[in-house]
């Protein structure tokens, strides 16, 4: 289960419940290049692996599209223990293991990562939260779009369709959970993104849909494109 969401500018500051916001910290690019002149985007990870952390394909797609869009990216994760460690070959918890969310997320960031407690909204134009069960287990006890629904009353988000449709949308019930929080769920296809212009929140279904990987990649691309457009306004 996964979905991707982003907050832009003023709503990034309003959503400070996601993490304590402290003083400015130097931004570290994913690679060793100089800072880029584009939008400044914080990418918030929750581990490494779909069942107990960040969904890797989603995180990678976000980074690819941000790079293509000329964004300056800084990657964050909380310096806390994972809720548990899942053996991804079995889909079951590994009782004898413990791992740290920041340390595991550093695998995706190629080592260039900052403690989430040091994120300052003043230093970024937007924040993006890839999906994966780690968003529920290690961040705020819910999947990525539900983070927005819990923090921003009346926000509009999408997790795709509202019916399972023969298994194509196996997590369609999440839409009802979003509505129960007072948010509006907007039906979108997997290659689409929904923009809440008022709250400056952008979401896409991603792995909420059982489909081919390139469709997931395209949907995340649509989401990143909309985020960068909002950053330029």
């Amino acid at each position: 289960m996964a979905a991707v969401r982003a907050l832009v500018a003023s709503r990034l500051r309003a959503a400070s419940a996601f993490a304590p916001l402290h003083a400015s910290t130097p931004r570290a690019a994913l690679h060793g290049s100089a800072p880029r002149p584009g939008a400044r985007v914080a990418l918030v990870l929750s581990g490494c692996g779909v069942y107990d952390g960040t969904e890797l394909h989603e995180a990678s797609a976000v980074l690819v599209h941000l790079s293509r869009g000329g964004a300056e990216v800084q990657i964050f994760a909380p310096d806390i223990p994972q809720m548990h460690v899942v053996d991804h070959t079995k889909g079951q918890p590994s009782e004898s293991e413990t791992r740290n969310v920041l340390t595991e997320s550093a695998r995706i960031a190629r080592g260039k990562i900052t403690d989430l407690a040091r994120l300052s909204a003043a230093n970024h134009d937007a924040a993006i939260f890839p999906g994966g069960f780690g968003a529920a287990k290690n961040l705020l006890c819910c999947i990525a779009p539900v983070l927005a629904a819990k923090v921003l009353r009346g926000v509009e988000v999408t997790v795709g369709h509202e019916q399972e449709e023969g298994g194509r949308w196996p997590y369609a019930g999440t839409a009802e959970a979003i509505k129960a929080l007072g948010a509006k769920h907007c039906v979108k296809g997997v290659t689409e993104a929904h923009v809440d212009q008022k709250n400056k929140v952008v979401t896409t279904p991603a792995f909420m849909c059982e489909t081919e990987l390139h469709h997931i990649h395209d949907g995340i691309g649509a989401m990143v494109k909309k985020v960068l457009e909002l950053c330029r306004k």
Side-chain angles (χ1 to χ4, degrees):
M1 176 169 60
V4 182
R5 56 172 291 283
L7 289 88
V8 178
S10 60
R11 280 307 178 184
L12 174 57
R13 297 181 182 90
S16 59
F18 295 141
L21 303 182
H22 294 292
S24 303
T25 57
R27 274 185 295 276
L30 180 63
H31 299 291
S33 58
R36 305 175 73 168
R40 303 167 302 167
V41 179
L43 180 65
V44 181
L45 304 181
S46 57
C48 183
V50 62
Y51 296 133
D52 56 14
T54 293
E55 212 298 320
L56 276 77
H57 297 290
E58 291 187 12
S60 178
V62 169
L63 286 166
V64 168
H65 289 294
L66 286 174
S67 175
R68 182 171 287 133
E72 179 187 343
V73 182
Q74 186 177 13
I75 304 177
F76 294 88
D79 187 7
I80 59 173
Q82 286 186 188
M83 189 186 89
H84 62 187
V85 177
V86 174
D87 181 338
H88 281 57
T89 65
K90 301 175 181 177
Q92 298 175 350
S94 179
E95 302 297 341
S96 61
E97 285 190 69
T98 59
R99 296 188 185 182
N100 178 277
V101 177
L102 181 65
T103 301
E104 291 300 296
S105 299
R107 297 174 182 272
I108 301 173
R110 297 173 62 88
K112 296 187 177 179
I113 195 165
T114 302
D115 184 353
L116 183 59
R118 299 176 65 189
L119 189 154
S120 173
N123 289 338
H124 298 89
D125 301 306
I128 297 180
F129 297 76
F133 282 98
K137 297 175 178 179
N138 303 323
L139 292 180
L140 200 61
C141 300
C142 45
I143 65 169
V146 183
L147 286 170
K150 291 190 74 169
V151 174
L152 302 173
R153 184 74 177 175
V155 69
E156 298 176 2
V157 296
T158 187
V159 290
H161 289 198
E162 296 181 356
Q163 303 296 325
E164 291 192 11
E165 300 176 15
R168 179 171 171 79
W169 297 92
Y171 310 107
T174 306
E176 293 304 316
I178 287 169
K179 295 176 186 178
L181 290 168
K184 179 180 178 181
H185 181 258
C186 303
V187 174
K188 291 288 181 179
V190 68
T191 61
E192 297 178 296
H194 179 74
V195 182
D196 181 336
Q197 294 285 352
K198 177 182 177 181
N199 289 295
K200 296 186 178 179
V201 173
V202 188
T203 48
T204 189
F207 280 98
M208 301 298 281
C209 182
E210 289 288 341
T211 188
E212 291 81 4
L213 182 60
H214 66 277
H215 294 317
I216 308 293
H217 190 275
D218 291 347
I220 292 172
M223 184 272 297
V224 170
K225 180 179 179 181
K226 295 296 184 183
V227 168
L228 297 181
E229 288 175 358
L230 285 174
C231 289
R232 289 192 288 269
K233 291 183 178 180

